[in-house]
Amino acid sequence: MIGWLNHIAIAVPDLAAATAKYRDLLGAMVSEPQALPEHGVTVVFVDTGNSKVELLEPLGADSPIARFLDNNPEGGMHHICFEVADIHAAARRLVSAGARILGDGLPKIGAHGRPVLFLHPKDFNGTLIELEEVTEA
Ligand code: CO
């Protein structure tokens, strides 16, 4: 059901410092920072050619990654995102198998303007998994 690894998201306390590490130490292609107020994050995309790393810095008072950074002050891997061709079909299959979707269980429009949902980390070995609908997946 899942297709390509779309991205790995890393929460960071200092986006400029994290971006500089990827650009200058690791020699990676990095984007300009993008503020996404509706998602409570500012993001920089690291292009690895076959996939992406997203560096996420909290934006605003109720950022969804604020508590994660409270528990992991130096940052850390926050979630991984796989592409699916049909997110509603994926959701039905997962729920019928007993997996839990975070929130109200319905796909939301994610940071790339496409429908996404998040699966409960306790159902997937302690890893928060995002599914993103990519119609060409
Ligand atoms: Co993501």
Side-chain angles (χ1 to χ4, degrees):
M1 179 175 73
I2 58 171
W4 292 104
L5 175 66
N6 185 277
H7 60 271
I8 294 170
I10 300 177
V12 303
D14 181 335
L15 188 58
T19 302
K21 275 188 195 176
Y22 274 82
R23 184 188 56 225
D24 302 334
L25 283 178
L26 296 175
M29 297 269 293
V30 300
S31 75
E32 290 298 313
Q34 281 178 242
L36 302 169
E38 67 278 26
H39 295 286
V41 293
T42 305
V43 60
V44 163
F45 299 101
V46 180
D47 183 354
T48 66
N50 65 340
S51 194
K52 295 186 288 285
V53 174
E54 290 184 4
L55 304 174
L56 304 173
E57 182 185 62
L59 175 64
D62 42 81
S63 170
I65 61 170
R67 195 162 57 113
F68 181 88
L69 282 170
D70 286 343
N71 296 330
N72 304 274
E74 292 175 30
M77 205 189 83
H78 185 261
H79 65 268
I80 62 177
C81 176
F82 296 108
E83 297 179 359
V84 295
D86 180 338
I87 203 159
H88 289 95
R92 281 194 301 275
R93 173 170 163 168
L94 286 156
V95 168
S96 69
R100 289 166 287 177
I101 296 171
L102 298 188
D104 62 10
L106 298 171
K108 302 283 183 299
I109 296 302
H112 310 126
R114 297 175 182 146
V116 302
L117 55 78
F118 287 88
L119 302 173
H120 200 299
K122 288 202 168 129
D123 295 335
F124 290 94
N125 307 100
T127 305
L128 179 59
I129 293 180
E130 178 181 18
L131 299 179
E132 178 171 311
E133 183 171 274
V134 177
T135 44
E136 62 272 22

